[in-house]
Amino acid sequence: MLIKNGRVVTADSDSVCDVLIQDEIIVAIGRHLPDTADQVIDAGGKLVLPGGIDPHVHLDMPFMGTFSSDTHETGTRAALHGGTTTVIDFVLQKQGHSLREALTEWQGRATGNAVGDYSFHMAVTDFNEQTQAEIAEMVAEGITSFKVFMAYKGALMIDDAQLVGLMQEVKRHGALVTVHATNGDMIDTLIAQHRAQGKLSPLYHYLSQPEVTEAEASGRFTDIANYTGVNAYIVHLTCEGALNQVREATRRNQRVFVETCIQYLLLDASLYELDFEGAKYVMSPPLRQKKDQETLWAGINQGLVQVVGTDHCPFLWEQKQMGKHDFSKIPNGHPAIEHRMELLFSEGVSKGRISLQRFVAVTATNAAKIFGMFPRKGTISIGADADLIIIDPEHKHTISAATHHMNVDYSAYEGWELTGKVETVILRGQVAIQDEQAHVAKGYGQFIKRGPTFF
Ligand code: URP
Ligand code: ZN
Ligand code: ZN
C-alpha cells in the first residue's frame, strides 16, 4: 500500500511525503516513491499521523455490581473509528486471588474478540508473597505496568505498606507502577457523611472527592515512588493541586509521568448541577473547575502531562440508574474511547492550544514510549507497524449517540461540533476504517507484548 502526498506528522517531524507499507510494516518514507503498490491512497491536503494509543480503558470490566458496557469487540472497534489503533485495558486482580487467575479471565474476554490492537496493565489489588512472586511472570507475559488504587476500599484499594512492597518488586524488574491517586479513606468518610445527611444526588459524588483528596494521594504516591526509585505514572490526573505535587517533585529531579483524560480538559463540574443527568459525568476523580482545565492544558505544553487518555468506562443509562436514589451506587465511568482523538484535535490543535507535534506526542508517541511499545507503535518510521490515520483537518462533524459506535446510549459530548475528522484508519497495513465503515473483523486485534519504558 502506498499513501501519497500526505502531510506526515510525528512527534518531531512534519513533511509532505509518501509512506510505503508492505504487509504489516512501514518499509519506506520519502518523496515521490514509485507508484507500483497494489493499493494507493491519495492523502493530498490531509494529515497522516501515527495511530492513536489510549493507555487507559476498561472493557467488559466487572465494577460496582455490573460490567462496563463495551466489550473488547465493541470498544476496540469504536476506538478504531476515532483513530485509536491500540488500547491498554486493565486486568483487575480479585482480592484473595492470584494475578494469573485474573489474567486468564481477561484473556478469555479479549482473545479472538478485539478488532483493534490491545495490551493489558495488571491492577494489583492484594499485594502479598504470592503476588510478589508473580510480578516477574507478568513481565515475561509482556505486561510491564502495574496499577494500584489508593481508593475503592474493600474492592481495589491497597494500603501504603503494600504500595511500598509492590514498588520495590516492580523496580527489581525494571517495570512501571501506575496509580489511581485519591485518598480512599477520606473519600469514604465524606460519602458516609453526605449519605447520613440525605445528600444523595450526583452533585455529592463531586463534593465527596474534593481536590485535596487527589493532591494528597498524588503527593504521597510521588514521595514513596521517589524513595523506592520505581518508574511511576499517575493515571487520570485532574487538578491543579495534584499537578503541583508532580511539579514540586521535579525540583528534586524526580520524574513522574502524568496522564490526564480528555474529559478533564473539556468538561467541568458545573455538569453536576443537572440533577440526575449529572450521573452521566459520575466518574472518579470527578470533573473539576475551569482553573484546573487551564492547569492541564498548560501542563501539556510544559511537558508535565505526557499523555491524554480516556479512562473509557462506559455504562448504559439503565446501569447508571443503579444510583438513582444514592450517588454512591452510580457506576463510575464515562465513554470517550471513540472521540478522544477528534475532540483533542478540534479543541486542542484547531483552536491553537497545542501544536500538531504535541498532539501526536500525547495521543500516541509518549504512551508508546512510557509503556514499552516504541518504536513498533506510536510513530511513523521504517520498521514500525503500519498504524496510520488520515485526518481531514477542515472536515466539520457533530458528535451524537445516534451515530457513534460505542455500546452506550448517550454521549457526554452530544451535539459538539468538531473541526477535523479521522477519515481513514490503517492498522498493521490493513485499511480498518474508511467512509465510516469498519473493514477489519472481530479477532483482527492482536495482543501487544510490551517491554520496559523507553522515554
Ligand atoms: O470512574 C472511573 N474512573 N471508573 C473506572 C475506574 C477507575 O477509577 O479508573
Ligand atoms: Zn481510576
Ligand atoms: Zn480507569
Side-chain angles (χ1 to χ4, degrees):
M1 182 191 299
L2 181 69
I3 302 171
K4 283 176 63 124
N5 298 324
R7 181 174 165 202
V8 177
V9 182
T10 70
D12 51 19
S13 68
D14 185 343
S15 61
V16 174
C17 61
D18 306 338
V19 181
L20 184 66
I21 299 165
Q22 197 171 346
D23 302 322
E24 300 197 345
I25 305 292
I26 296 170
V27 292
I29 301 167
R31 288 240 159 99
H32 312 301
L33 293 179
D35 198 344
T36 52
D38 300 336
Q39 198 177 356
V40 178
I41 297 177
D42 186 356
K46 311 268 172 79
L47 300 170
V48 179
L49 312 182
I53 298 173
D54 186 344
H56 192 152
V57 307
H58 301 278
L59 301 174
D60 213 354
M61 182 180 82
F63 188 53
M64 296 185 73
T66 186
F67 278 76
S68 56
S69 60
D70 262 319
T71 62
H72 293 84
E73 178 186 352
T74 63
T76 56
R77 186 187 297 120
L80 284 174
H81 274 279
T84 293
T85 46
T86 303
V87 301
I88 315 183
D89 183 39
F90 288 89
V91 176
L92 303 186
Q93 176 197 15
K94 269 201 206 89
Q95 293 181 341
H97 295 257
S98 68
L99 302 184
R100 174 59 65 184
E101 277 171 87
L103 178 59
T104 304
E105 189 184 328
W106 255 260
Q107 285 168 331
R109 287 200 271 271
T111 311
N113 279 326
V115 185
D117 283 358
Y118 65 99
S119 189
F120 290 136
H121 306 282
M122 176 58 69
V124 179
T125 64
D126 191 357
F127 185 72
N128 51 44
E129 273 177 24
Q130 284 84 27
T131 331
Q132 180 170 358
E134 289 187 281
I135 298 294
E137 242 183 83
M138 294 298 126
V139 170
E141 295 275 1
I143 298 173
T144 51
S145 46
F146 296 87
K147 163 88 171 282
V148 293
F149 291 89
M150 295 170 84
Y152 304 121
K153 199 171 189 168
L156 303 173
M157 178 170 153
I158 64 169
D159 62 23
D160 291 350
Q162 294 181 78
L163 181 57
V164 179
L166 175 70
M167 284 182 172
Q168 289 169 333
E169 186 62 20
V170 170
K171 181 177 165 58
R172 267 179 219 121
H173 299 284
L176 180 72
V177 173
T178 79
V179 67
H180 171 124
T182 61
N183 182 321
D185 285 326
M186 186 170 171
I187 291 167
D188 288 347
T189 302
L190 296 179
I191 291 174
Q193 286 174 358
H194 286 133
R195 291 176 78 209
Q197 293 161 12
K199 295 173 171 169
L200 299 170
S201 71
L203 175 65
Y204 292 94
H205 169 78
Y206 168 62
L207 293 175
S208 299
Q209 299 200 34
E211 182 172 4
V212 62
T213 59
E214 189 179 336
E216 185 281 328
S218 301
R220 183 159 34 107
F221 171 81
T222 300
D223 285 347
I224 301 174
N226 188 48
Y227 171 74
T228 61
V230 76
N231 284 324
Y233 177 102
I234 301 177
V235 307
H236 57 36
L237 186 144
T238 70
C239 59
E240 186 182 14
L243 194 62
N244 281 343
Q245 296 290 336
V246 175
R247 202 186 303 277
E248 188 59 26
T250 65
R251 287 155 56 89
R252 61 187 175 207
N253 290 330
Q254 186 184 3
R255 183 185 63 174
V256 177
F257 298 113
V258 173
E259 164 202 288
T260 190
C261 295
I262 190 69
Q263 59 273 26
Y264 300 118
L265 291 165
L266 303 183
L267 306 176
D268 69 71
S270 61
L271 291 161
Y272 297 119
E273 310 282 349
L274 297 172
D275 291 327
F276 196 68
E277 279 288 298
K280 291 177 181 170
Y281 308 98
V282 165
M283 63 189 87
S284 293
L287 300 174
R288 302 288 186 197
Q289 302 291 321
K290 293 237 181 287
K291 59 109 181 153
D292 298 299
Q293 295 179 343
E294 292 315 315
T295 298
L296 295 174
W297 284 109
I300 289 174
N301 283 322
Q302 291 157 353
L304 277 173
V305 176
Q306 292 85 14
V307 174
V308 178
T310 58
D311 193 10
H312 177 72
C313 191
F315 296 100
L316 302 172
W317 188 231
E318 187 193 348
Q319 293 173 288
K320 289 278 186 182
Q321 305 298 316
M322 290 164 69
K324 182 84 187 156
H325 305 294
D326 178 352
F327 70 87
S328 69
K329 301 203 161 47
I330 300 170
N332 286 203
H334 130 289
I337 201 168
E338 184 165 351
H339 295 120
R340 173 185 71 123
M341 304 279 284
E342 290 174 342
L343 282 164
L344 191 67
F345 186 87
S346 186
E347 294 293 316
V349 179
S350 300
K351 291 194 173 167
R353 286 173 165 135
I354 59 172
S355 70
L356 205 41
Q357 274 78 17
R358 188 75 72 173
F359 173 82
V360 172
V362 299
T363 57
T365 316
N366 289 349
K369 290 179 174 176
I370 293 167
F371 293 108
M373 294 186 278
F374 189 84
R376 176 178 177 189
K377 302 283 190 193
T379 193
I380 300 177
S381 63
I382 293 168
D385 278 6
D387 298 350
L388 303 166
I389 62 175
I390 303 179
I391 296 184
D392 179 344
E394 307 301 335
H395 185 150
K396 292 194 191 308
H397 60 113
T398 304
I399 294 184
S400 172
T403 50
H404 73 203
H405 302 84
M406 298 177 285
N407 184 37
V408 58
D409 47 2
Y410 67 87
S411 171
Y413 308 91
E414 186 68 38
W416 281 47
E417 289 187 9
L418 304 186
T419 302
K421 180 143 186 39
V422 175
E423 292 188 337
T424 304
V425 178
I426 295 159
L427 172 57
R428 284 182 282 102
Q430 293 289 317
V431 172
I433 304 290
Q434 195 151 42
D435 300 327
E436 315 224 353
Q437 298 299 316
H439 296 273
V440 286
K442 159 179 165 160
Y444 183 72
Q446 277 187 5
F447 176 73
I448 304 299
K449 276 184 129 184
R450 297 183 288 111
T453 297
F454 176 82
F455 194 93

